[in-house]
Amino acid sequence: MNTFHIHIEGQVQGVGFRPFVYQLAHSLGLKGTVSNGMDGVHIFFNGNEGLAQNFYQKLLVKRPQRAKILRHALEEVAPQLFAGFDIVESRNTGRANLLLTPDFGLCDDCRQELHDPADRRFGYPFITCINCGPRYSITRRLPYDRERTAMAPYTMCHPCQSEYDSPLTRRHFSQTNSCPDCAVELSFWAKNDPQNLKFEKSTSDSNDCISLAVNYLTLGKILAVKGIGGYLLICDATNPVAVATLRERKHRPSKPFALMYPNLDILQKDAHVNDAEAAAFGSIESPIVLCRLREIPASGIDVDGIAPHLHRIGAMQPYTPLMELLLSNWQKPIVATSGNLSGSPIFFEDEKALKYLGEFVDGFIVNNRKILLPQDDSVVQFTPGHLQRIVLRRSRGYAPTYIHQGLPDWQASVLAMGADMKGTFSLQHAGNTYISQYLGDLESFDTQENFEKTLRHLLHLLDARPARVIVDKHPAYFSTFKGTELAGELGVALEEVQHHLAHFAAVLAENELLTSKKPVLGVIWDGTGWGDDGQVWGGEFFLFENSGFDRIAHLDYFPHFLGDKMAREPRLSALALFHDLPEAEPLLRHHFTEKEWAFYQKMLARPSSLKTSSVGRLFDGVAALLGLQSKSSFEGEAAMRLEALAMKDAKPKGNFRLLPDFSLNSILTDLIADLLAGVDKSEIAFHFHFALVHWIGEIARQQGVHRLAFSGGVFQNSLLTDLIISELGEKYELFFHQELSPNDECISFGQLAFSLLSPLTPEGGPNRARVSELQNEVSL
């Protein structure tokens, strides 16, 4: 009898792969073993060549729903006889070479059992199976087995152990398996004195916890609830006083709050939900999905308090059994926003949450299962016209898995540190790509500490030692500093990659264009990036051809002053853009005091070497000119309001004028003329978007290219994306990000992609891809 070995690599641990192999082998009468290893799943079995091939093909075709196979191999090995087919102990030796499974939301089977009075897990707030529940956030070591996770302290009761051992159940080798008799403990903590911030445990009965939570919500109180990736702050979304109180306590004046809905039916009465949005809402990843509000939401949510000045809400389903129980009792939407201080990461450790969130909330719902890696909720949207998916935040449910075909096959460990806004890092290791969850803006000490902790944890899990570290060229970025420090510690090569080239490389790699024989025009628009000429870039056109990058055009430079203050105050962008146009003065002056106006005029009159080509700041300036936003309370607020205003117009009006020369000055002059002529502001906003799309078309025509790729935070704008598809889609091949966000979250992956175009030289340094400077500037 011959003996065969099958090796499966990819996302194959924590997805029920071993039970699947066991059941398939038994159905075919095979004898052998299956086990987890540091490099995936290993199967040894007896059989002839025909049976082996049949088994192999069935494994690949019928694989578990959550499994993602990257590589696989079948080989004949030295003979070994097996008496039966068994799942055997995992092998925890060798080099780690597998994808890490993300956290999953509640599956339909567990949701049904949760509400079934006849089921022994009826009402149990931590019900899971092989198809759902936490994975990445509780993994301490590899391979993925219970003793190497945060579930290690919980000993299964006899019925749970029997399920775990039985190949006939959904909980066969389910590492998160538990029930009310061997439970993860839930508890409700309330203030022992309304005058202080000290909380004490009031009950550990899960039913009482749910009842108390519903009572608190009814009274308009705010709760902190521990979820999969950290604490959420929740309140009644239909209670304006509760919403306003949460805003006041969290010092969050206008940034939209996410909502959690009991089910899709209730959401559809509040918002227009298309099929793509409904599918994302109900998916196992359970992201926040942006949906367009109905004119009168049936639930009575406090629209002005939840999403001020906007036309969409962010909605997600209850993705944990605890929240499913709470929302099924409550039957109304709740605000569900990250439990953090302004600028800090989400709290996930109970002691710190009780200490620092106490001033925000009236009660806590806590459980005693540790979260090892915090994660925020992911956010996605679909453009209204063409349903183009845009990832706004990639975190819980998606990270750190990234399945790709677009990178060179590079076996060495390479670490990319990303940017400071929308921080992430990426690691290429043993042929696999890992992209961290969204880690926030790396300005505060707490966020920097969380970035370092998450990075060290992943390197530890994979036992990875990077042979190269890649950073952004911006000298003041924390990620650049930390990457430089780490490269020094490891004694390895350090490489710098320009910010916008990283954006371009990311969208190229995601669309498998790094080896494209046809030239690709990269349209890279964002707020800020350190340029190779020492200026602040952000409105760039690059040409990718023959593995090289050329900067072939950009938005006309305009003054950049007052540093980050300019990004926080759209009125300053407006002043920088329009200060040379006397007719703009009456439209701008009301944004400033007399003293401010005089001071800023003097600043702009002085010769300045620092300029910017930022389309992000252009959006800010136009928003301020139209009176939408003078100062922003969160990043992107002015651009979001400008998009919302433009969405009120469905198409260009008859009097719309396409500008023949596409210069920045002519666009600005045209905007002012329309305003002074009394043209409706929504029409002006729409035509501004439309003009930018035609600028892209004009650059593409001049360059004679037919492939266009888009990246940068500006392309989070769903209207702009729809217009690009409508106006340019028939003539050009268009490439957008698919699984990654166009914002700075993709920078680390782009750094990786750019660097992997250039293998290490024999001396250990990077042999960089060709990057040419602009020869003949092509202005807007």
Side-chain angles (χ1 to χ4, degrees):
M1 183 72 70
N2 297 339
T3 302
F4 294 88
H5 171 226
I6 295 175
H7 181 201
I8 309 287
E9 297 179 67
Q11 184 178 295
V12 292
Q13 296 187 12
V15 294
F17 211 97
R18 288 175 298 175
F20 159 69
V21 172
Y22 177 94
Q23 293 175 33
L24 181 59
H26 271 267
S27 72
L28 297 175
L30 294 176
K31 296 179 179 179
T33 64
V34 59
S35 64
N36 277 344
M38 296 293 286
D39 56 352
V41 170
H42 291 270
I43 307 159
F44 293 88
F45 63 98
N46 299 139
N48 57 43
E49 179 69 27
L51 189 58
Q53 285 293 341
N54 183 39
F55 181 43
Y56 184 41
Q57 294 304 317
K58 286 182 183 295
L59 283 173
L60 301 179
V61 173
K62 296 183 176 182
R63 62 186 180 273
Q65 182 181 359
R66 315 280 182 242
K68 297 180 179 179
I69 296 174
L70 285 185
R71 292 173 289 273
H72 50 85
L74 167 68
E75 63 175 344
E76 188 172 348
V77 295
Q80 183 180 357
L81 288 178
F82 299 98
F85 199 96
D86 300 297
I87 298 177
V88 297
E89 186 176 348
S90 298
R91 301 184 299 175
N92 59 358
T93 58
R95 183 190 194 195
N97 180 16
L98 73 164
L99 292 178
L100 301 173
T101 303
D103 297 325
F104 296 129
L106 184 65
C107 72
D108 291 339
D109 290 328
C110 284
R111 182 175 278 108
Q112 183 177 349
E113 291 174 349
L114 184 67
H115 295 298
D116 182 1
D119 193 275
R120 71 187 191 91
R121 290 185 176 84
F122 172 61
Y124 177 54
F126 300 97
I127 186 173
T128 65
C129 69
I130 58 171
N131 295 318
C132 67
R135 300 288 192 273
Y136 176 54
S137 64
I138 63 169
T139 301
R140 195 182 305 276
R141 290 290 293 163
L142 298 175
Y144 177 75
D145 286 303
R146 192 181 183 101
E147 63 268 22
R148 287 181 280 272
T149 73
M151 289 299 296
Y154 302 92
T155 301
M156 283 182 280
C157 64
H158 179 70
C160 282
Q161 187 67 54
S162 296
E163 290 173 324
Y164 184 88
D165 294 336
S166 171
L168 302 178
T169 75
R170 276 189 358 269
R171 296 185 172 89
H172 187 34
F173 272 73
S174 172
Q175 308 305 327
T176 54
N177 196 28
S178 65
C179 78
D181 293 328
C182 54
V184 176
E185 182 186 276
L186 190 70
S187 57
F188 193 100
W189 292 60
K191 290 180 182 177
N192 62 357
D193 181 349
Q195 301 304 315
N196 64 39
L197 299 180
K198 188 174 181 181
F199 290 80
E200 291 183 350
K201 186 188 297 187
S202 59
T203 181
S204 293
D205 181 90
S206 60
N207 290 328
D208 289 346
C209 289
I210 300 297
S211 297
L212 278 170
V214 170
N215 184 48
Y216 269 53
L217 291 174
T218 303
L219 295 173
K221 294 186 176 182
I222 298 166
L223 294 172
V225 182
K226 186 177 180 181
I228 288 181
Y231 278 83
L232 291 176
L233 303 182
I234 69 171
C235 71
D236 179 3
T238 69
N239 185 331
V241 175
V243 174
T245 301
L246 180 55
R247 284 207 176 278
E248 181 181 356
R249 291 180 183 178
K250 207 179 177 192
H251 308 293
R252 183 170 172 162
S254 56
K255 189 175 183 179
F257 281 139
L259 302 181
M260 185 175 284
Y261 275 79
N263 52 55
L264 180 60
D265 289 342
I266 295 176
L267 171 60
Q268 289 174 324
K269 293 174 183 176
D270 279 1
H272 301 277
V273 185
N274 60 46
D275 290 345
E277 292 161 347
F281 175 84
S283 69
I284 199 71
E285 293 84 8
S286 303
I288 297 168
V289 183
L290 299 194
C291 303
R292 184 167 58 91
L293 275 165
R294 292 188 181 276
E295 189 172 344
I296 303 177
S299 71
I301 57 171
D302 175 27
V303 174
D304 291 338
I306 290 163
H309 311 296
L310 301 177
H311 63 287
R312 293 183 296 180
I313 54 170
M316 59 181 157
Q317 69 172 342
Y319 56 84
T320 67
L322 170 60
M323 297 308 292
E324 171 67 21
L325 290 169
L326 176 56
L327 270 291
S328 65
N329 278 272
W330 178 245
Q331 283 299 301
K332 289 194 295 184
I334 59 171
V335 170
T337 187
S338 296
N340 64 341
L341 305 177
S342 179
S344 73
I346 189 171
F347 284 107
F348 66 102
E349 297 162 308
D350 302 333
E351 186 176 342
K352 288 184 178 179
L354 287 164
K355 179 178 179 181
Y356 294 109
L357 293 179
E359 63 181 284
F360 295 174
V361 303
D362 303 297
F364 284 86
I365 301 180
V366 181
N367 70 72
N368 66 348
R369 182 175 63 199
K370 286 188 176 181
I371 298 171
L372 302 180
L373 281 174
Q375 298 179 86
D376 287 281
D377 296 313
S378 296
V379 186
V380 301
Q381 66 171 335
F382 296 85
T383 64
H386 295 279
L387 301 183
Q388 175 68 39
R389 182 174 182 264
I390 302 174
V391 176
L392 301 176
R393 185 165 70 205
R394 181 180 176 275
S395 196
R396 177 192 52 75
Y398 301 108
T401 294
Y402 181 67
I403 309 295
H404 70 88
Q405 300 295 329
L407 290 182
D409 186 13
W410 185 252
Q411 291 295 309
S413 291
V414 181
L415 174 66
M417 299 294 285
D420 268 20
M421 296 290 286
K422 308 286 190 297
T424 66
F425 61 83
S426 292
L427 176 70
Q428 181 82 356
H429 175 72
N432 296 322
T433 304
Y434 307 87
I435 305 175
S436 78
Q437 67 270 35
Y438 160 82
L439 294 168
D441 298 336
L442 304 181
E443 296 178 339
S444 73
F445 173 77
D446 289 339
T447 309
Q448 293 170 2
E449 188 176 53
N450 184 52
F451 181 95
E452 289 190 67
K453 178 180 178 179
T454 305
L455 173 59
R456 300 284 181 183
H457 184 82
L458 184 65
L459 294 176
H460 174 69
L461 273 180
L462 300 171
D463 195 22
R465 187 184 187 277
R468 190 194 313 186
V469 179
I470 314 162
V471 297
D472 192 278
K473 280 191 172 183
H474 198 302
Y477 276 177
F478 168 79
S479 56
T480 299
F481 166 77
K482 185 51 59 178
T484 304
E485 182 181 74
L486 183 59
E489 288 176 10
L490 296 172
V492 300
L494 179 74
E495 181 179 3
E496 294 179 340
V497 175
Q498 198 279 327
H499 188 88
H500 299 91
L501 287 176
H503 265 300
F504 191 14
V507 71
L508 287 172
E510 231 193 315
N511 289 281
E512 301 180 31
L513 294 173
L514 290 177
T515 57
S516 173
K517 298 189 185 316
K518 298 178 182 178
V520 184
L521 179 68
V523 186
I524 315 300
W525 293 353
D526 65 359
T528 301
W530 188 269
D532 285 340
D533 59 359
Q535 305 297 355
V536 181
W537 291 3
E540 313 306 310
F541 290 88
F542 295 97
L543 190 66
F544 177 71
E545 191 172 17
N546 300 322
S547 297
F549 297 83
D550 295 300
R551 185 187 185 217
I552 52 96
H554 62 81
L555 183 70
D556 290 336
Y557 282 133
F558 58 94
H560 187 280
F561 69 117
L562 295 174
D564 290 341
K565 184 180 175 70
M566 189 171 175
R568 295 191 298 268
E569 298 187 16
R571 63 179 187 157
L572 298 179
S573 292
L575 189 59
L577 286 159
F578 294 97
H579 76 283
D580 282 337
L581 302 173
E583 60 270 32
E585 182 173 335
L587 301 172
L588 293 175
R589 194 149 190 164
H590 69 278
H591 288 291
F592 304 90
T593 64
E594 289 298 322
K595 187 175 181 181
E596 286 175 330
W597 182 263
F599 175 72
Y600 292 142
Q601 289 294 325
K602 286 181 181 177
M603 285 194 70
L604 289 169
R606 297 192 203 115
S608 173
S609 60
L610 191 60
K611 306 288 184 182
T612 184
S613 59
S614 170
V615 173
R617 299 292 79 81
L618 175 62
F619 268 82
D620 286 351
V622 172
L625 183 75
L626 296 182
L628 299 177
Q629 198 80 38
S630 184
K631 298 180 180 179
S632 295
S633 68
F634 65 92
E635 189 239 346
E637 183 176 12
M640 289 171 66
R641 292 191 62 183
L642 184 62
E643 178 190 3
L645 179 65
M647 291 283 275
K648 294 180 179 179
D649 257 38
K651 57 185 178 181
K653 298 294 188 293
N655 62 346
F656 176 59
R657 303 173 301 284
L658 281 177
L659 303 173
D661 60 354
F662 292 96
S663 71
L664 176 60
N665 185 71
S666 61
I667 280 187
L668 301 181
T669 302
D670 201 57
L671 282 167
I672 293 170
D674 282 348
L675 263 178
L676 295 176
V679 176
D680 187 84
K681 289 183 178 180
S682 64
E683 186 177 336
I684 295 173
F686 182 90
H687 288 164
F688 168 70
H689 285 74
F690 201 74
L692 292 179
V693 173
H694 277 265
W695 175 37
I696 295 170
E698 179 62 17
I699 297 293
R701 185 193 63 78
Q702 292 173 10
Q703 296 298 317
V705 298
H706 296 283
R707 288 184 159 189
L708 315 182
F710 304 86
S711 188
V714 169
F715 295 107
Q716 296 173 115
N717 184 313
S718 62
L719 172 61
L720 183 66
T721 302
D722 257 351
L723 286 173
I724 288 169
I725 297 171
S726 294
E727 296 299 310
L728 305 178
E730 291 186 6
K731 189 173 182 180
Y732 301 98
E733 288 185 80
L734 307 178
F735 299 93
F736 299 93
H737 286 286
Q738 300 173 45
E739 299 301 321
L740 304 182
S741 176
N743 67 35
D744 279 7
E745 284 184 34
C746 77
I747 287 290
S748 64
F749 177 68
Q751 291 169 342
L752 204 62
F754 184 90
S755 182
L756 293 178
L757 280 171
S758 318
L760 289 174
T761 64
E763 294 75 27
N767 176 22
R768 297 191 52 167
R770 176 178 59 84
V771 182
S772 298
E773 283 302 312
L774 185 66
Q775 299 300 318
N776 299 303
E777 289 195 357
V778 182
S779 71
L780 185 147

